[in-house]
Amino acid sequence: MERRGARELLAGLRGHEIIEIGAPEWERLRTYIQADLAGVLVAVGWLIVLRLLVVDDPWLVVIVSLLLVMAGFLVRAVQLIHRFRRFAAVVVFALANWIVAVAVTSMVPFALSTLALAVLLPVLVAVQHMNHARLAAMLGATMLVGTALVVVGTVHGGVGLEGQVPPGVTHALAITFIPFITILVSLAAWQNHGMLVARTEALQESRARLVAAADRERCQIERNLHEGAQRRLMAAAEQTREARLLLDTDPAQVAPLLARLSDDLQEASAELRGLAHGIYPPQLGQYGLETALRAVAQHAPLPTTVRAFGIGRYPPEIEINIYFCLLEALRNASRHAGDGATVTITLQDRNGLSFDFRDTGAGCFPDAIHQGTGMINMTDRLGAIGGTLTIDTRPGGGMRLHGHLPRAVLESAGVQRAAEERGGAVRAALEAIWYVVARLYTDLQRSTHPHPHQYIATGLWAILGVALGAGALSVAMFPGARIPWLPALAAGCGTVALLIVLALRVVRRDRIERAIGVSAGITWCYALALTAMIPSALPYATLVTVSPVLLSVAYLPRRRFKVIMGCTIATAVAVTLAGRFLPGVGFERNAPGWVVSATVIVLVVLGLTRASYLAWHNHVMLVARAEALQESRGRLVAAADRERRQIERDLHDGAQQRLVAAAVQSRVAQRLLATQPADVSPLLAQLSEDLREAGAELRDLAHGIYPPQLAESGLEAALRAAVRHSPLPAEIHAHGIGRYPPEIEINIYFCLLEALQNAGKHAGEHATVTIDLRDKDGLSFDFRDTGDGASPDLLRSGHGITNMYDRLGAIGGTLTIDTGRGAGLHLHGVIPDAAAPVAGDGKT
């Protein structure tokens, strides 16, 4: 995006019209960074007032300068978001937090209790915006920075600023900023929770839209063939028959008739060729994305420029989806941008494949974008192959579309990286650090894929270990030291241990929501009790306090998650008050300094490890929950594009070639009419036969694309027509079946057609097929064949069954398979939300 002035920058910080349809991750990230920026500016204002009114120390100026540098980093992150560089924005945000946290803590160790949570913020934000490898590297960096922070905060004495600041000021800072950062942590968890729900819902809706769009396209292609080439062929056949009759009665009229016939056949051939090219452009398959787009630009209604940097060849599913996205964008621009607008398309392969589509037209309000089916179709197409589409527009400012396919998506599709990314060795080292930590943590859980109850139990076991260790150490030290606070500490630890043992029994037996509630209550009580007894453990207690809200992201419904958030913030306030105002049991005064420091370091590292692992778990859940739907969406788009190529090939190799040959025959007949009139009649007879065969071939192709009986008479009639051409004997039994919404009828029809085709290929020559349709508590079907059967695992790996799963899933249905070798095949499909059939004449 172009360089912005001060006014534009401020407008961008307030809120710019950037839209990501279906998943507004850009807006969420920007809002979060803005909240962090607001907190930094409040801290700057507070410290300036402190410097002017209370403490005249130059180190305060240094800290203010560091915070202003951090504010500059955050402003830069917002700018990167406006340039569609979300990953870079997260990295800048992380560096700002980490550098300032370590620097401030080295000068003012008191800040450790506040900034221990701040170190965790970037990785919580990154959960939504990074792939596995990058998030692992960030988690490794988080562990290193967090360890450095706690070591500096406990070992280094600082610059002496704390002694000059009145205790009331430090208490006020802690009471303000620890809950504030806890709110930021809870907000990040809330965004991750919302993203889990929103992404799943958006993918489900997108999958349904993709199926509906493919079926609309089928219907449109069938209509175009029926109303275009098919009618022209019928008219041409009629002209041919008329010419044969006129040879005997009025030969003078034959020549003009043959001339018109030749012209009509050429027009029909050109129309069919245009239709085939619109279904799947030949330049795309032969020369790739750049060439195909340049060909489109030459015929675009608006002046269009295509620029490409580093573009090569990509898998067909990537090229076809980007091509049709940009084709849709061109159509939208021609309709809405205005007559004087121009278009620029930029393709670039840099850290992934991206495109920028810009027009200089009228632009529009952002709300209009959400209502446009074209933009939603583009988002669905890109999302199906792992990409994102972002829109930047405003009235009078044109429109910019930015599409991006990450490098990981290209590599998973088999595209080799052109050059190694900078910093690859550092990232690999950070990844290795995190995977070592994660391996130790999963070994503790005794599972690499733990059940949610295991996450809860592991956290309780960790608290139990700390409580028992502290209690045992207190009991062991008391006989020699005779310090009165040691028995109190041992008693407190014993009470916590007893509560945890009781909680573990509840957790193992109860449902996940109650288990999270019980463990959260125990965790918060433990954090509060520990801080009350040992105030120096406040940095660890803040990390323990936010663990329940991080654990709840993937498992609690929205209402209960809000309760966890509220309790987390309230506990943070209580823990802060206990750590700042209660004297404790005297551990810090009586224990050696190195013991206190070592205890705080170990506890903070333990707390940071658990919080980081929960963030990793949320990322895995976020990916896993969407992955199956994402793969299904990708398969649907790939299947539609394979079908496009097949239709284009059938048209090109079949009816189109016949039309070209027929046009040649008509011209030959014209020449023979003047020189060898006796040979014209046999030639016209052959031409009539060829046109009849071409018409029948085109009719069969159109019916295969979208059967006319389905729209005219419904599901049962269309299936009965289909089984008449089945290679196996097939019977259909229907109970209470009427008319249903088109998206339900077409999907069930093609599911059962796929099952019939599979049975014809694999069931055996002597097999028979039975299809039962019924409407009872939803529309269902049972498909049975008496064939050889197969292994269920083998069936699930086949394209046919997978396509059926995807189609039924897109309309809210399910598919069950029952089969075995020699036992035939039974498919049971259910669409529970199918609309009730219409009584009477069976019409919708």
Side-chain angles (χ1 to χ4, degrees), residues 105 282 307 351 390 401 444 513 547 566 626 739:
T105 304
R307 299 169 181 162
N351 193 30
T390 313
L401 308 177
L444 181 64
E513 293 181 10
S547 292
R739 296 306 306 268

Side-chain angles (χ1 to χ4, degrees), residues 328-534:
E328 184 77 47
L330 270 173
R331 292 186 188 127
N332 282 349
S334 65
R335 287 195 293 264
H336 307 298
D339 295 336
T342 60
V343 171
T344 303
I345 299 173
T346 304
L347 300 167
Q348 187 170 358
D349 192 332
R350 179 190 173 197
N351 193 30
L353 178 60
S354 62
F355 66 78
D356 279 282
F357 178 98
R358 300 171 188 250
D359 70 54
T360 59
C364 65
F365 287 102
D367 292 342
I369 295 297
H370 294 281
Q371 302 168 5
T373 57
M375 294 299 176
I376 293 175
N377 290 340
M378 293 169 68
T379 303
D380 290 340
R381 273 195 165 274
L382 279 181
I385 55 175
T388 58
L389 178 69
T390 313
I391 302 145
D392 182 4
T393 184
R394 54 192 176 275
M399 180 175 290
R400 178 186 177 187
L401 308 177
H402 177 78
H404 182 68
L405 269 71
R407 174 60 56 188
V409 171
L410 297 180
E411 290 177 350
S412 65
V415 180
Q416 297 298 317
R417 188 186 297 271
E420 192 67 27
E421 285 185 359
R422 292 178 296 178
V426 175
R427 193 181 73 181
L430 293 174
E431 284 181 47
I433 291 171
W434 171 247
Y435 285 126
V436 168
V437 173
R439 175 62 61 86
L440 293 173
Y441 196 86
T442 51
D443 286 345
L444 181 64
Q445 296 176 128
R446 301 189 183 94
S447 173
T448 55
H449 301 287
H451 188 273
H453 285 85
Q454 287 181 268
Y455 284 107
I456 300 169
T458 301
L460 292 177
W461 277 109
I463 296 173
L464 179 63
V466 173
L468 291 177
L473 184 62
S474 301
V475 171
M477 291 175 61
F478 181 72
R482 296 291 175 178
I483 300 173
W485 57 264
L486 287 175
L489 180 60
C493 290
T495 303
V496 169
L498 179 61
L499 290 173
I500 291 173
V501 169
L502 295 175
L504 284 169
R505 294 173 62 86
V506 175
V507 164
R508 287 173 178 166
R509 293 182 310 196
D510 244 321
R511 64 181 188 271
I512 184 64
E513 293 181 10
R514 175 170 293 201
I516 289 176
V518 170
S519 70
I522 295 293
T523 301
W524 292 328
C525 290
Y526 163 73
L528 186 58
L530 181 65
T531 310
M533 291 187 291
I534 308 176

Side-chain angles (χ1 to χ4, degrees), residues 67-80:
L67 291 176
L68 289 175
V69 169
M70 180 178 180
F73 271 80
L74 297 178
V75 171
R76 175 60 177 163
V78 174
Q79 287 181 308
L80 289 170

